[in-house]
């Protein structure tokens, strides 16, 4: 930001956690770290570290991301698709070592406008077999098409146990939802109720069909 600081107050973001042309993925204004000037060439990084500048580790990055999501939620969710695609690439490379933390992050956009974490429940991609649109209110979280259609984001989502549903599974979810003791049609819009009936019709669901459950 143009200020002079002692080396131990600053941090270097390695290439694996950058976006675009060397930009730290987490915006500087929202980061828990104060970034060293990007005017330093890459070959100076080792010398800067020897002076005490901190190199951001994978755990540091995840802590910074967690803080960004929690403290700047609106900004995080409004980052463009390219940014979220890059984030997915980074997290994909970290799932083997930090799966528990990554599964707990609310980084998954849903079709209803909300965001959730992988630990919240069953995650479904928006299309079932035969390109039928999965309806809302079926006791599952339906992922936003923008995320489902992006290759990098879809790869990560699959690692977070999101999946495609079969027609039979979605039909079963619809029926079970309506049979639930807590079901109240007044809590569901007419549009969503119609989408339930439409899906059952298009999937050619038959009562007591062997494929129902």
């Amino acid at each position: 930001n143009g200020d002079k600081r002692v080396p131990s107050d600053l941090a270097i973001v390695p290439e694996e956690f950058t976006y675009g042309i060397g930009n730290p993925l987490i915006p500087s204004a929202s980061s828990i770290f104060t970034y060293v000037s990007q005017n330093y060439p890459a070959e100076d990084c080792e010398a800067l570290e020897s002076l005490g500048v901190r190199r951001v580790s994978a755990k540091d990055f995840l802590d910074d991301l967690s803080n960004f999501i929690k403290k700047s939620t609106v900004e995080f969710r409004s980052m463009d698709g390219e940014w979220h695609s890059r984030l997915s690439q980074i997290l994909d490379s970290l799932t083997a070592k930090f799966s528990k933390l990554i599964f707990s992050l609310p980084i998954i956009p849903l079709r209803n406008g909300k965001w959730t974490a992988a630990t919240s429940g069953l995650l479904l991609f928006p299309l079932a077999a035969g390109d039928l649109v999965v309806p809302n209110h079926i006791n599952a979280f339906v992922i936003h098409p923008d995320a489902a259609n992006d290759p990098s984001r879809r790869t990560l989502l699959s690692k977070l146990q999101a999946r495609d549903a079969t027609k039979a599974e979605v039909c079963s979810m619809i029926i079970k939802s309506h049979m639930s003791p807590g079901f109240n049609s007044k809590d569901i819009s007419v549009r969503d109720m119609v989408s339930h009936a439409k899906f059952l019709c298009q999937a050619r669901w038959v009562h007591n069909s062997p494929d129902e459950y």
Side-chain angles (χ1 to χ4, degrees), residues 13 41-42 57 61 96 105 114 123 143 146 152:
V13 180
S57 67
F61 171 78
L105 295 173
K114 298 180 180 180
L123 295 169
I143 295 167
D146 288 351
S152 295

mmCIF file with all atom_site columns, all heavy atoms in Angstrom, residues 13 41-42 57 61 96 105 114 123 143 146 152:
data_model
loop_
_atom_site.group_PDB
_atom_site.id
_atom_site.type_symbol
_atom_site.label_atom_id
_atom_site.label_alt_id
_atom_site.label_comp_id
_atom_site.label_asym_id
_atom_site.label_entity_id
_atom_site.label_seq_id
_atom_site.pdbx_PDB_ins_code
_atom_site.Cartn_x
_atom_site.Cartn_y
_atom_site.Cartn_z
_atom_site.occupancy
_atom_site.B_iso_or_equiv
_atom_site.pdbx_formal_charge
_atom_site.auth_seq_id
_atom_site.auth_comp_id
_atom_site.auth_asym_id
_atom_site.auth_atom_id
_atom_site.pdbx_PDB_model_num
ATOM 1  N N   . VAL A 1 13  ? 2.677   -13.692 -0.605  1.00 0.00 ? 13  VAL A N   1
ATOM 2  C CA  . VAL A 1 13  ? 1.711   -14.703 -1.036  1.00 0.00 ? 13  VAL A CA  1
ATOM 3  C C   . VAL A 1 13  ? 2.327   -15.480 -2.197  1.00 0.00 ? 13  VAL A C   1
ATOM 4  O O   . VAL A 1 13  ? 2.586   -14.918 -3.261  1.00 0.00 ? 13  VAL A O   1
ATOM 5  C CB  . VAL A 1 13  ? 0.382   -14.060 -1.480  1.00 0.00 ? 13  VAL A CB  1
ATOM 6  C CG1 . VAL A 1 13  ? -0.601  -15.133 -1.931  1.00 0.00 ? 13  VAL A CG1 1
ATOM 7  C CG2 . VAL A 1 13  ? -0.210  -13.243 -0.342  1.00 0.00 ? 13  VAL A CG2 1
ATOM 8  N N   . PRO A 1 41  ? 10.402  -8.405  -7.622  1.00 0.00 ? 41  PRO A N   1
ATOM 9  C CA  . PRO A 1 41  ? 10.376  -9.543  -8.543  1.00 0.00 ? 41  PRO A CA  1
ATOM 10 C C   . PRO A 1 41  ? 10.408  -10.862 -7.776  1.00 0.00 ? 41  PRO A C   1
ATOM 11 O O   . PRO A 1 41  ? 10.823  -10.915 -6.619  1.00 0.00 ? 41  PRO A O   1
ATOM 12 C CB  . PRO A 1 41  ? 11.645  -9.349  -9.382  1.00 0.00 ? 41  PRO A CB  1
ATOM 13 C CG  . PRO A 1 41  ? 12.557  -8.546  -8.522  1.00 0.00 ? 41  PRO A CG  1
ATOM 14 C CD  . PRO A 1 41  ? 11.665  -7.639  -7.714  1.00 0.00 ? 41  PRO A CD  1
ATOM 15 N N   . ALA A 1 42  ? 9.950   -11.920 -8.421  1.00 0.00 ? 42  ALA A N   1
ATOM 16 C CA  . ALA A 1 42  ? 9.846   -13.231 -7.778  1.00 0.00 ? 42  ALA A CA  1
ATOM 17 C C   . ALA A 1 42  ? 11.184  -13.698 -7.211  1.00 0.00 ? 42  ALA A C   1
ATOM 18 O O   . ALA A 1 42  ? 11.227  -14.345 -6.160  1.00 0.00 ? 42  ALA A O   1
ATOM 19 C CB  . ALA A 1 42  ? 9.301   -14.250 -8.781  1.00 0.00 ? 42  ALA A CB  1
ATOM 20 N N   . SER A 1 57  ? 1.435   -19.746 4.237   1.00 0.00 ? 57  SER A N   1
ATOM 21 C CA  . SER A 1 57  ? 1.327   -21.198 4.073   1.00 0.00 ? 57  SER A CA  1
ATOM 22 C C   . SER A 1 57  ? -0.107  -21.574 3.692   1.00 0.00 ? 57  SER A C   1
ATOM 23 O O   . SER A 1 57  ? -1.007  -20.722 3.680   1.00 0.00 ? 57  SER A O   1
ATOM 24 C CB  . SER A 1 57  ? 1.693   -21.889 5.387   1.00 0.00 ? 57  SER A CB  1
ATOM 25 O OG  . SER A 1 57  ? 0.725   -21.600 6.385   1.00 0.00 ? 57  SER A OG  1
ATOM 26 N N   . PHE A 1 61  ? -3.420  -19.429 4.442   1.00 0.00 ? 61  PHE A N   1
ATOM 27 C CA  . PHE A 1 61  ? -4.381  -19.065 3.394   1.00 0.00 ? 61  PHE A CA  1
ATOM 28 C C   . PHE A 1 61  ? -5.804  -19.435 3.807   1.00 0.00 ? 61  PHE A C   1
ATOM 29 O O   . PHE A 1 61  ? -6.738  -18.635 3.646   1.00 0.00 ? 61  PHE A O   1
ATOM 30 C CB  . PHE A 1 61  ? -4.027  -19.750 2.076   1.00 0.00 ? 61  PHE A CB  1
ATOM 31 C CG  . PHE A 1 61  ? -5.083  -19.586 1.020   1.00 0.00 ? 61  PHE A CG  1
ATOM 32 C CD1 . PHE A 1 61  ? -5.199  -18.401 0.305   1.00 0.00 ? 61  PHE A CD1 1
ATOM 33 C CD2 . PHE A 1 61  ? -5.992  -20.610 0.763   1.00 0.00 ? 61  PHE A CD2 1
ATOM 34 C CE1 . PHE A 1 61  ? -6.207  -18.233 -0.649  1.00 0.00 ? 61  PHE A CE1 1
ATOM 35 C CE2 . PHE A 1 61  ? -6.997  -20.461 -0.190  1.00 0.00 ? 61  PHE A CE2 1
ATOM 36 C CZ  . PHE A 1 61  ? -7.092  -19.262 -0.889  1.00 0.00 ? 61  PHE A CZ  1
ATOM 37 N N   . ALA A 1 96  ? -6.948  -32.841 0.258   1.00 0.00 ? 96  ALA A N   1
ATOM 38 C CA  . ALA A 1 96  ? -6.354  -34.060 0.827   1.00 0.00 ? 96  ALA A CA  1
ATOM 39 C C   . ALA A 1 96  ? -5.860  -33.826 2.253   1.00 0.00 ? 96  ALA A C   1
ATOM 40 O O   . ALA A 1 96  ? -5.994  -34.697 3.115   1.00 0.00 ? 96  ALA A O   1
ATOM 41 C CB  . ALA A 1 96  ? -5.208  -34.548 -0.060  1.00 0.00 ? 96  ALA A CB  1
ATOM 42 N N   . LEU A 1 105 ? -16.522 -24.798 5.318   1.00 0.00 ? 105 LEU A N   1
ATOM 43 C CA  . LEU A 1 105 ? -16.609 -23.428 4.812   1.00 0.00 ? 105 LEU A CA  1
ATOM 44 C C   . LEU A 1 105 ? -17.885 -23.223 3.986   1.00 0.00 ? 105 LEU A C   1
ATOM 45 O O   . LEU A 1 105 ? -18.156 -24.010 3.075   1.00 0.00 ? 105 LEU A O   1
ATOM 46 C CB  . LEU A 1 105 ? -15.388 -23.101 3.949   1.00 0.00 ? 105 LEU A CB  1
ATOM 47 C CG  . LEU A 1 105 ? -14.028 -23.084 4.636   1.00 0.00 ? 105 LEU A CG  1
ATOM 48 C CD1 . LEU A 1 105 ? -12.916 -22.904 3.601   1.00 0.00 ? 105 LEU A CD1 1
ATOM 49 C CD2 . LEU A 1 105 ? -13.961 -21.977 5.686   1.00 0.00 ? 105 LEU A CD2 1
ATOM 50 N N   . LYS A 1 114 ? -29.007 -18.629 -1.388  1.00 0.00 ? 114 LYS A N   1
ATOM 51 C CA  . LYS A 1 114 ? -28.267 -18.807 -0.149  1.00 0.00 ? 114 LYS A CA  1
ATOM 52 C C   . LYS A 1 114 ? -26.935 -19.498 -0.424  1.00 0.00 ? 114 LYS A C   1
ATOM 53 O O   . LYS A 1 114 ? -26.685 -19.972 -1.523  1.00 0.00 ? 114 LYS A O   1
ATOM 54 C CB  . LYS A 1 114 ? -29.095 -19.604 0.853   1.00 0.00 ? 114 LYS A CB  1
ATOM 55 C CG  . LYS A 1 114 ? -30.395 -18.928 1.258   1.00 0.00 ? 114 LYS A CG  1
ATOM 56 C CD  . LYS A 1 114 ? -31.170 -19.771 2.249   1.00 0.00 ? 114 LYS A CD  1
ATOM 57 C CE  . LYS A 1 114 ? -32.468 -19.090 2.652   1.00 0.00 ? 114 LYS A CE  1
ATOM 58 N NZ  . LYS A 1 114 ? -33.252 -19.902 3.622   1.00 0.00 ? 114 LYS A NZ  1
ATOM 59 N N   . LEU A 1 123 ? -26.049 -32.462 -1.105  1.00 0.00 ? 123 LEU A N   1
ATOM 60 C CA  . LEU A 1 123 ? -25.839 -31.471 -2.152  1.00 0.00 ? 123 LEU A CA  1
ATOM 61 C C   . LEU A 1 123 ? -26.127 -32.098 -3.507  1.00 0.00 ? 123 LEU A C   1
ATOM 62 O O   . LEU A 1 123 ? -25.563 -33.142 -3.847  1.00 0.00 ? 123 LEU A O   1
ATOM 63 C CB  . LEU A 1 123 ? -24.395 -30.969 -2.129  1.00 0.00 ? 123 LEU A CB  1
ATOM 64 C CG  . LEU A 1 123 ? -23.935 -30.201 -0.893  1.00 0.00 ? 123 LEU A CG  1
ATOM 65 C CD1 . LEU A 1 123 ? -22.417 -30.020 -0.921  1.00 0.00 ? 123 LEU A CD1 1
ATOM 66 C CD2 . LEU A 1 123 ? -24.615 -28.842 -0.820  1.00 0.00 ? 123 LEU A CD2 1
ATOM 67 N N   . ILE A 1 143 ? -27.507 -26.882 -5.953  1.00 0.00 ? 143 ILE A N   1
ATOM 68 C CA  . ILE A 1 143 ? -26.412 -25.960 -6.259  1.00 0.00 ? 143 ILE A CA  1
ATOM 69 C C   . ILE A 1 143 ? -26.778 -25.013 -7.397  1.00 0.00 ? 143 ILE A C   1
ATOM 70 O O   . ILE A 1 143 ? -27.476 -25.390 -8.348  1.00 0.00 ? 143 ILE A O   1
ATOM 71 C CB  . ILE A 1 143 ? -25.149 -26.770 -6.617  1.00 0.00 ? 143 ILE A CB  1
ATOM 72 C CG1 . ILE A 1 143 ? -24.685 -27.558 -5.379  1.00 0.00 ? 143 ILE A CG1 1
ATOM 73 C CG2 . ILE A 1 143 ? -24.034 -25.874 -7.119  1.00 0.00 ? 143 ILE A CG2 1
ATOM 74 C CD1 . ILE A 1 143 ? -23.658 -28.623 -5.685  1.00 0.00 ? 143 ILE A CD1 1
ATOM 75 N N   . ASP A 1 146 ? -24.528 -21.608 -12.038 1.00 0.00 ? 146 ASP A N   1
ATOM 76 C CA  . ASP A 1 146 ? -23.239 -20.976 -12.355 1.00 0.00 ? 146 ASP A CA  1
ATOM 77 C C   . ASP A 1 146 ? -22.076 -21.782 -11.799 1.00 0.00 ? 146 ASP A C   1
ATOM 78 O O   . ASP A 1 146 ? -21.029 -21.918 -12.447 1.00 0.00 ? 146 ASP A O   1
ATOM 79 C CB  . ASP A 1 146 ? -23.183 -19.551 -11.793 1.00 0.00 ? 146 ASP A CB  1
ATOM 80 C CG  . ASP A 1 146 ? -24.067 -18.582 -12.556 1.00 0.00 ? 146 ASP A CG  1
ATOM 81 O OD1 . ASP A 1 146 ? -24.581 -18.971 -13.621 1.00 0.00 ? 146 ASP A OD1 1
ATOM 82 O OD2 . ASP A 1 146 ? -24.250 -17.443 -12.076 1.00 0.00 ? 146 ASP A OD2 1
ATOM 83 N N   . SER A 1 152 ? -14.000 -26.065 -12.964 1.00 0.00 ? 152 SER A N   1
ATOM 84 C CA  . SER A 1 152 ? -13.179 -26.062 -11.749 1.00 0.00 ? 152 SER A CA  1
ATOM 85 C C   . SER A 1 152 ? -14.035 -26.140 -10.500 1.00 0.00 ? 152 SER A C   1
ATOM 86 O O   . SER A 1 152 ? -13.724 -26.877 -9.553  1.00 0.00 ? 152 SER A O   1
ATOM 87 C CB  . SER A 1 152 ? -12.312 -24.800 -11.697 1.00 0.00 ? 152 SER A CB  1
ATOM 88 O OG  . SER A 1 152 ? -11.382 -24.787 -12.757 1.00 0.00 ? 152 SER A OG  1
#
